[in-house]
């Protein structure tokens, strides 16, 4: 346990320069973009040059770049993501309103992807080179090639419009109706998760096949243990190490893919918030959404690192 804690503290220490680098990158991109915060704040009001100058001076936009960056980091440490030029409301309020929905969509999609990949990958590995394996490999290859937005449009057309099984869009809070929430989130979560599930299925299959070919599996089965017990207790745990690594990277895809999926299904999450901010020229909101998404990706990968250590005792035992 001490080794796990030491490794965890080391990972957390590495996150500090990583997050500072992300903040610096976002800061520079936004500062060198064509969007002027002063013009965005006064959009549609025909401000005078004096008003623009006073706004820039009041908000430190005329300060040297290093000073502005230091102030930007100080504001972030106090939970201040800026003020929306469109609504005049703190960006943090809009982010905290939209973030729960995006997290619901992301983790529901992640759960679907994990379940489908484990069932499909293990089934294909156990029936290696037979009909179930060939079917699963073809389906997974098709899923890898299918973009999420295309799947979303197909699902809306056939499952929502033609069959009427699901709504075409919108969102119902689970506190109001869990069944309604599930109906509104099923299609977006499936469209988001199926490409990830297809890729993970291929990785799980390969990992399980490699484990099944090892001597300890043949010895355990030869000694009389049922194959399902060997697979469930030993093979699957050892085979999950490589898929876990890929899963951490795919969470970033899920968070990024939510931007498109939320827009298609009219879900008021982080993706729709950012798209609306880009269309309306609201740089503070765009900046806040990007920083929050990046921070979420970093935190999720830290959790994946911890899970990686838990399922791979050899790694933590070998770490000084």
């Amino acid at each position: 346990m001490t080794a796990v804690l030491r490794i965890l503290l080391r990972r957390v220490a590495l996150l500090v320069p990583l997050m500072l680098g992300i903040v610096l990158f976002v800061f520079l991109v936004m500062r060198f973009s064509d969007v002027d915060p002063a013009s965005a704040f006064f959009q549609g009001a025909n401000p005078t040059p004096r008003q623009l100058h006073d706004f820039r001076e009041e908000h430190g936009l005329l300060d040297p770049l290093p000073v502005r960056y230091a102030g930007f980091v100080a504001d972030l440490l106090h939970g201040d993501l800026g003020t929306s030029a469109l609504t005049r409301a703190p960006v943090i309020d809009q982010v905290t309103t939209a973030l729960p929905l995006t997290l619901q969509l992301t983790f529901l999609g992640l759960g679907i992807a994990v379940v489908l990949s484990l069932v499909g990958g293990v089934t294909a590995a156990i029936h290696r080179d037979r009909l179930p394996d060939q079917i699963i490999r073809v389906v997974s290859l098709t899923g890898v090639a299918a973009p999420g937005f295309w799947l979303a449009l197909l699902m809306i057309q056939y499952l929502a419009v033609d069959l009427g099984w699901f709504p075409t869009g919108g969102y119902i809070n689970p506190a109001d109706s869990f069944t309604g929430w599930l109906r509104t989130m099923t299609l977006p979560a499936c469209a988001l998760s199926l490409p990830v599930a297809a890729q993970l299925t291929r990785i799980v299959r390969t990992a399980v096949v490699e484990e099944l070919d090892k001597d300890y599996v043949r010895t355990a089965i030869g000694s009389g243990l049922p194959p399902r017990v060997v697979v469930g207790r030993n093979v699957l745990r050892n085979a999950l190490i490589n898929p876990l690594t890929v899963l951490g990277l795919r969470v970033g895809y899920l968070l990024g893919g939510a931007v498109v999926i939320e827009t298609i299904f009219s879900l008021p999450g982080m993706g729709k918030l950012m798209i609306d901010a880009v269309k309306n020229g609201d740089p503070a909101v765009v900046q806040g959404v990007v920083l929050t998404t990046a921070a979420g990706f970093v935190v999720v990968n830290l959790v994946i690192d911890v899970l990686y250590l838990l399922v791979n005792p050899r790694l933590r035992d070998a770490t000084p």
Side-chain angles (χ1 to χ4, degrees), residues 249-261:
L249 300 175
R250 293 293 89 190
V251 170
Y253 166 83
L254 292 173
L255 287 170
V259 174
V260 178
I261 298 300

Side-chain angles (χ1 to χ4, degrees), residues 283-303:
V285 175
V286 175
Q287 181 176 267
V289 172
V290 172
L291 286 174
T292 305
T293 304
F297 177 70
V298 170
V299 171
V300 168
N301 275 272
L302 176 63
V303 174

